[in-house]
mmCIF file of all heavy atoms in Angstrom:
data_model
loop_
_atom_site.group_PDB
_atom_site.id
_atom_site.type_symbol
_atom_site.label_atom_id
_atom_site.label_comp_id
_atom_site.label_asym_id
_atom_site.label_seq_id
_atom_site.Cartn_x
_atom_site.Cartn_y
_atom_site.Cartn_z
ATOM 1 N N LEU L 223 -88.689 -87.845 36.043
ATOM 2 C CA LEU L 223 -89.943 -87.136 35.787
ATOM 3 C C LEU L 223 -89.972 -86.577 34.372
ATOM 4 O O LEU L 223 -90.985 -86.666 33.668
ATOM 5 C CB LEU L 223 -90.112 -86.007 36.804
ATOM 6 C CG LEU L 223 -90.447 -86.429 38.237
ATOM 7 C CD1 LEU L 223 -90.249 -85.254 39.189
ATOM 8 C CD2 LEU L 223 -91.875 -86.956 38.324
ATOM 9 N N GLY L 227 -92.290 -87.517 30.788
ATOM 10 C CA GLY L 227 -93.131 -86.524 30.138
ATOM 11 C C GLY L 227 -93.790 -85.520 31.060
ATOM 12 O O GLY L 227 -94.657 -84.762 30.627
ATOM 13 N N ALA L 228 -93.399 -85.493 32.337
ATOM 14 C CA ALA L 228 -94.016 -84.554 33.269
ATOM 15 C C ALA L 228 -93.593 -83.129 32.956
ATOM 16 O O ALA L 228 -92.410 -82.874 32.736
ATOM 17 C CB ALA L 228 -93.618 -84.904 34.706
ATOM 18 N N PRO L 229 -94.540 -82.174 32.930
ATOM 19 C CA PRO L 229 -94.147 -80.767 32.770
ATOM 20 C C PRO L 229 -93.438 -80.287 34.035
ATOM 21 O O PRO L 229 -93.840 -80.621 35.149
ATOM 22 C CB PRO L 229 -95.482 -80.043 32.573
ATOM 23 C CG PRO L 229 -96.481 -80.919 33.251
ATOM 24 C CD PRO L 229 -95.999 -82.337 33.076
ATOM 25 N N ILE L 230 -92.376 -79.539 33.848
ATOM 26 C CA ILE L 230 -91.592 -79.008 34.968
ATOM 27 C C ILE L 230 -91.608 -77.488 34.861
ATOM 28 O O ILE L 230 -91.389 -76.938 33.788
ATOM 29 C CB ILE L 230 -90.141 -79.511 34.949
ATOM 30 C CG1 ILE L 230 -90.097 -81.034 34.826
ATOM 31 C CG2 ILE L 230 -89.395 -79.048 36.188
ATOM 32 C CD1 ILE L 230 -90.632 -81.777 36.013
ATOM 33 N N ARG L 231 -91.844 -76.804 35.999
ATOM 34 C CA ARG L 231 -91.961 -75.352 35.979
ATOM 35 C C ARG L 231 -91.062 -74.734 37.041
ATOM 36 O O ARG L 231 -90.744 -75.363 38.044
ATOM 37 C CB ARG L 231 -93.422 -74.948 36.193
ATOM 38 C CG ARG L 231 -94.377 -75.596 35.202
ATOM 39 C CD ARG L 231 -95.827 -75.298 35.543
ATOM 40 N NE ARG L 231 -96.733 -76.106 34.759
ATOM 41 C CZ ARG L 231 -97.180 -75.778 33.556
ATOM 42 N NH1 ARG L 231 -96.821 -74.643 33.008
ATOM 43 N NH2 ARG L 231 -98.009 -76.571 32.902
ATOM 44 N N VAL L 270 -90.917 -77.423 39.932
ATOM 45 C CA VAL L 270 -92.157 -78.065 40.368
ATOM 46 C C VAL L 270 -92.665 -79.003 39.284
ATOM 47 O O VAL L 270 -92.951 -78.564 38.167
ATOM 48 C CB VAL L 270 -93.231 -77.004 40.689
ATOM 49 C CG1 VAL L 270 -94.453 -77.656 41.304
ATOM 50 C CG2 VAL L 270 -92.670 -75.940 41.627
ATOM 51 N N PRO L 271 -92.779 -80.304 39.560
ATOM 52 C CA PRO L 271 -93.281 -81.236 38.541
ATOM 53 C C PRO L 271 -94.788 -81.170 38.400
ATOM 54 O O PRO L 271 -95.494 -80.693 39.294
ATOM 55 C CB PRO L 271 -92.828 -82.605 39.064
ATOM 56 C CG PRO L 271 -92.713 -82.423 40.538
ATOM 57 C CD PRO L 271 -92.305 -80.986 40.766
ATOM 58 N N GLY L 272 -95.277 -81.715 37.283
ATOM 59 C CA GLY L 272 -96.654 -81.616 36.821
ATOM 60 C C GLY L 272 -97.750 -81.579 37.848
ATOM 61 O O GLY L 272 -98.419 -80.569 38.020
ATOM 62 N N ALA L 273 -97.972 -82.685 38.562
ATOM 63 C CA ALA L 273 -99.118 -82.782 39.456
ATOM 64 C C ALA L 273 -99.053 -81.789 40.608
ATOM 65 O O ALA L 273 -100.055 -81.447 41.207
ATOM 66 C CB ALA L 273 -99.220 -84.199 40.010
ATOM 67 N N ALA L 275 -97.807 -78.708 40.279
ATOM 68 C CA ALA L 275 -97.508 -77.403 39.705
ATOM 69 C C ALA L 275 -98.691 -76.444 39.711
ATOM 70 O O ALA L 275 -98.653 -75.423 39.055
ATOM 71 C CB ALA L 275 -96.997 -77.570 38.272
ATOM 72 N N ASP L 282 -92.159 -73.123 31.521
ATOM 73 C CA ASP L 282 -91.696 -74.492 31.340
ATOM 74 C C ASP L 282 -90.183 -74.579 31.216
ATOM 75 O O ASP L 282 -89.556 -73.753 30.565
ATOM 76 C CB ASP L 282 -92.331 -75.113 30.089
ATOM 77 C CG ASP L 282 -93.823 -75.337 30.272
ATOM 78 O OD1 ASP L 282 -94.219 -75.538 31.427
ATOM 79 O OD2 ASP L 282 -94.553 -75.315 29.274
#
Side-chain angles (χ1 to χ4, degrees):
L223 288 166
I230 309 293
R231 305 174 191 273
V270 187
D282 291 331

